[in-house]
Amino acid sequence: QVQLVESGGGSVQAGGSLRLSCAASLGTYKNIRMGWFRQTPGKEREGVATIYTNGGTIYYADSVKGRFTISQDNAKNTVDLQMNNLKPEDTAMYYCAAGGSRLFTQTYNYWGQGTQVTVSS
């Protein structure tokens, strides 16, 4: 019913920027919270930033505030994550997700396949 496809990952040096994009097929949903999560080996998946497809309240993890910006295009059903001033600790697999609440990972029902972001020092 809901399909999410990520793009835009890659490798960058510390201080650089990357932009992730998530294209969504939302089925019957008219307004749904979508966002970005990340995971490194041996750690739990954590919320990075989320937003409703119609806009509204945005949530950011404290670790990315001031550096990452999430945006949505309701007409295109896309949610992008602009990542600036990247740090090595931002290295992770980044996942697009939909259908949950705030940054609570366990509440999200739909997940993309993930895109790798690697930041070298």
Side-chain angles (χ1 to χ4, degrees), residues 3 7 9 14 17 19 28 44 53 59 61 67-68 74 81 83-84 87 92 110 118:
Q3 293 184 321
S7 61
S17 299
R19 188 178 183 89
T28 58
E44 293 188 355
T53 51
Y59 296 97
R67 300 188 298 121
F68 291 11
N74 195 36
L81 185 69
M83 305 185 293
N84 297 329
K87 303 176 180 181
Y110 305 103
T118 302

Side-chain angles (χ1 to χ4, degrees), residues 20-117:
L20 306 182
S21 185
C22 177
S25 297
L26 297 178
T28 58
Y29 288 101
K30 301 300 182 184
N31 186 31
I32 189 172
R33 181 163 287 276
M34 289 180 57
W36 291 91
F37 294 73
R38 65 187 182 186
Q39 188 172 23
T40 54
K43 292 189 176 181
E44 293 188 355
R45 195 170 296 185
E46 64 174 1
V48 175
T50 67
I51 187 172
Y52 276 110
T53 51
N54 284 351
T57 304
I58 294 173
Y59 296 97
Y60 290 105
D62 288 343
S63 58
V64 306
K65 284 180 181 176
R67 300 188 298 121
F68 291 11
T69 303
I70 191 170
S71 60
Q72 49 74 233
D73 185 327
N74 195 36
K76 296 180 180 180
N77 279 346
T78 57
V79 174
D80 291 353
L81 185 69
Q82 178 66 42
M83 305 185 293
N84 297 329
N85 190 21
L86 282 160
K87 303 176 180 181
E89 51 263 42
D90 295 318
T91 295
M93 184 70 78
Y94 283 72
Y95 297 90
C96 181
S101 174
R102 301 190 180 190
L103 295 173
F104 302 130
T105 308
Q106 301 296 333
T107 67
Y108 282 77
N109 300 317
Y110 305 103
W111 294 88
Q113 293 300 307
T115 185
Q116 178 68 36
V117 171

